Amino acid sequence: MKILVVDDTEANRKLLAWMLEDDGHEVVEATNGEEAVELFKSATPDLVLMDVMMPIMDGFEATQAIKEHLRGTHVPIIFLTALSDDASLTKCLSIGGDDFLSKPINEQVLQAKIKAHSRIKDLNEQLNRQNKELTRLHQFTLREHEIAKNVFENALAASILDSKNTRHYISPAATFNGDLLLVTISPSGGLYALMADFTGHGLPAAIGALPVSQAFLDAAQQGASVSSIAREVNRTLEKFLPDDMFAAAAIAELNAEGNRLTLWMGGMPDALHTDASGALKQKIPSTHMPLGILEDDEFEREANIIEVADGDRLYLYTDGIPESLNSEGEMYGENRMLDHFDGASSDPLTSLIESVNRFTGHKDQNDDITLLELICKPVEAAVSGDASVLNLELALPWTLHMTLTAEEMKKPTSPVAQLVDMISSAPGIESHKDYLHTILAELYSNALEHGILGLRSDLKKTEDGYLEYYQQREEKLQQLSCGTLDITVSFRVEGRKGYLSLQLDDSGCGFDVAHRNHSTDEDSFGRGIDLIETLCDRVSYSEGGTRVEAEYTIHT
């Protein structure tokens, strides 16, 4: 080490120099405090041994001047003093000294203190280097975040979050939002919305927003069905995200007339369907796995189709709302949230957010919060369709026919999904895929379960009967050795409309068409037929109930 020895007595300096040089140190000498300050600036020693009582400038003044010059850099200063009173020793430390030695100097104590302060100096230099590196990395990270934020904002700029049909609230828990909300107009004049909640929050969670937004907006631009959009986003996430990351998601479509909602939900909290006053009509649960978990061949595509009245509202939200914490660690919870949807508040979105903020005391969030209100009325931001929507003048008529045998009906996967995929590959059908899947799935189930297997719907009136119904279905299906189900789908154009005709013929015993039961609000069965009759322009039964025909209209 290079050590500056400051003492006005030459004998003391020479004795210290001899001790230090004998131990391998380099020594620089100063006879007073003023000279010590100048030598310190030019020689840059690693440690200072400072006498207290000196002419021109004493050790206290010299130490203060040296510390000011250092500006935070650590160089140990050890006072050499014959003073022994507490006040003097306290002053040695209070004005910036790091230690003191009493005169006469003990060589072993001197060596021990030099070694101790050498270690402290090395640690301090290491901390300074680490601080500089952390500062550099912090500035670099801030710059990267600024660039990433700009990229995210540009990527999501195509989304229309607020319109005559939508309102939203977004509050991220960190700089980057782990929630994603996208709203865009469909080519047919309706409206698509996607809400996703990625695992975690901050930049790692937000990374999934870029491929998801691209997949969603591209599919929406093509007029894809909700289930097809969900499947495409699932493919994207399964391909790009690591295994431990996924996204709970809700994808909704409001048709151009504003009277029908199509909803796919995986891993999200229950969606809330209210009337125009904000009073809850129904909770719509998630029925699927979050996106990015299942392989494509395992993906569950079924969407929920809901007929809505003018002014009805749909609320989608992430779990950041019910899981918000107050200062006592208590969750806001679902019950507090549902209190805002009793019809008493004309603006449940605003009252809910204000309530959550009061509950948490506006403290830092523990998760991202996203809320969307979708108002069911004709979509005012509608745009004209593009080439991806059916051009009836160019469409050709076609017919598809298949016959399913007992062995084919016994397979674990329903043929409906494959049939719908085939149908929707025809021009103009893709955007109607969810409606067609719902119609065909219900017609197929009725033909198989009631026609061929002979099951009774009234078994579903009770919970035990519901379980028994599906136990009987599985048993009878496995025992099935004969029977056929013919499915015919045809398409034709008349004027400015396209018509899909569906016909199913089963080999069962049929049923009394005239006395077919209609479901009520209390029934747990039969609602699918009522929905089919709402979606289709015509549904009819013939051949003793073994044939059903339905017609679905495609409007330009």
Side-chain angles (χ1 to χ4, degrees), residues 1 96 133 152 277 295 315 344 372 408 413 487 519 538 555:
M1 291 181 69
E133 180 65 15
F152 282 123
S277 71
E295 299 281 347
Y315 291 89
L372 174 70
E408 289 160 340
T413 55
I487 303 175
S519 66
R538 177 177 60 81
H555 299 271

Side-chain angles (χ1 to χ4, degrees), residues 158-213:
S159 179
I160 308 167
L161 293 182
D162 285 320
S163 66
K164 296 292 185 180
N165 294 88
T166 56
R167 290 194 305 155
H168 82 287
Y169 175 85
I170 296 175
S171 180
T175 303
F176 291 96
N177 198 348
D179 291 351
L180 175 65
L181 180 61
L182 298 168
V183 179
T184 189
I185 300 300
S186 72
S188 59
L191 180 147
Y192 291 112
L194 176 144
M195 182 179 292
D197 182 1
F198 291 86
T199 48
H201 52 80
L203 183 56
I207 286 173
L210 290 178
V212 166
S213 62

Side-chain angles (χ1 to χ4, degrees), residues 241-281:
L241 291 189
D243 292 340
D244 60 343
M245 282 191 70
F246 54 85
I251 303 175
E253 181 187 10
L254 178 67
N255 66 348
E257 294 74 25
N259 57 12
R260 184 178 298 155
L261 277 168
T262 306
L263 186 62
W264 186 99
M265 294 181 64
M268 290 286 282
D270 294 347
L272 305 179
H273 173 202
T274 75
D275 62 18
S277 71
L280 184 66
K281 295 177 77 169

Side-chain angles (χ1 to χ4, degrees), residues 251-398:
I251 303 175
E253 181 187 10
L254 178 67
N255 66 348
E257 294 74 25
N259 57 12
R260 184 178 298 155
L261 277 168
T262 306
L263 186 62
W264 186 99
M265 294 181 64
M268 290 286 282
D270 294 347
L272 305 179
H273 173 202
T274 75
D275 62 18
S277 71
L280 184 66
K281 295 177 77 169
Q282 64 172 325
K283 293 195 296 182
I284 306 168
S286 290
T287 54
H288 301 295
M289 295 286 286
L291 296 173
I293 294 179
L294 297 177
E295 299 281 347
D296 187 56
D297 58 355
E298 301 173 307
F299 184 74
E300 301 165 342
R301 55 157 297 137
E302 291 77 11
N304 200 345
I305 299 173
I306 307 160
E307 297 294 316
V308 293
D310 185 60
D312 278 8
R313 306 176 200 176
L314 179 73
Y315 291 89
L316 302 176
Y317 58 93
T318 58
D319 57 12
I321 293 179
E323 294 180 6
S324 293
L325 301 175
N326 63 12
S327 56
E328 286 75 41
E330 179 188 5
M331 281 190 182
Y332 187 75
E334 184 182 12
N335 290 335
R336 286 188 180 91
M337 188 182 68
L338 292 177
D339 287 343
H340 297 274
F341 298 93
D342 58 1
S345 172
S346 60
D347 186 1
L349 182 144
T350 301
S351 67
L352 174 58
I353 294 304
E354 289 175 349
S355 174
V356 170
N357 287 333
R358 285 194 302 271
F359 178 81
T360 60
H362 298 272
K363 72 178 184 67
D364 291 343
Q365 295 171 206
N366 55 298
D367 198 1
D368 305 309
I369 291 176
T370 304
L371 174 63
L372 174 70
E373 177 187 69
L374 198 159
I375 304 164
C376 302
K377 61 180 181 179
V379 179
E380 296 188 19
V383 294
S384 59
D386 63 15
S388 66
V389 180
L390 177 63
N391 185 336
L392 293 179
E393 294 178 358
L394 303 177
L396 297 174
W398 52 265

Side-chain angles (χ1 to χ4, degrees), residues 1 3 15-25 47 49 78 80 99-102 105-120:
M1 291 181 69
I3 299 176
L15 177 62
L16 282 169
W18 176 78
M19 291 179 183
L20 295 168
E21 287 172 349
D22 188 56
D23 205 31
H25 300 294
L47 184 142
L49 296 175
I78 301 175
L80 307 174
D99 207 341
F100 56 84
L101 274 169
S102 298
I105 304 301
N106 182 295
E107 185 176 359
Q108 290 180 332
V109 175
L110 174 63
Q111 291 174 350
K113 294 216 173 192
I114 289 174
K115 289 178 180 178
H117 283 285
S118 176
R119 290 195 297 270
I120 293 172

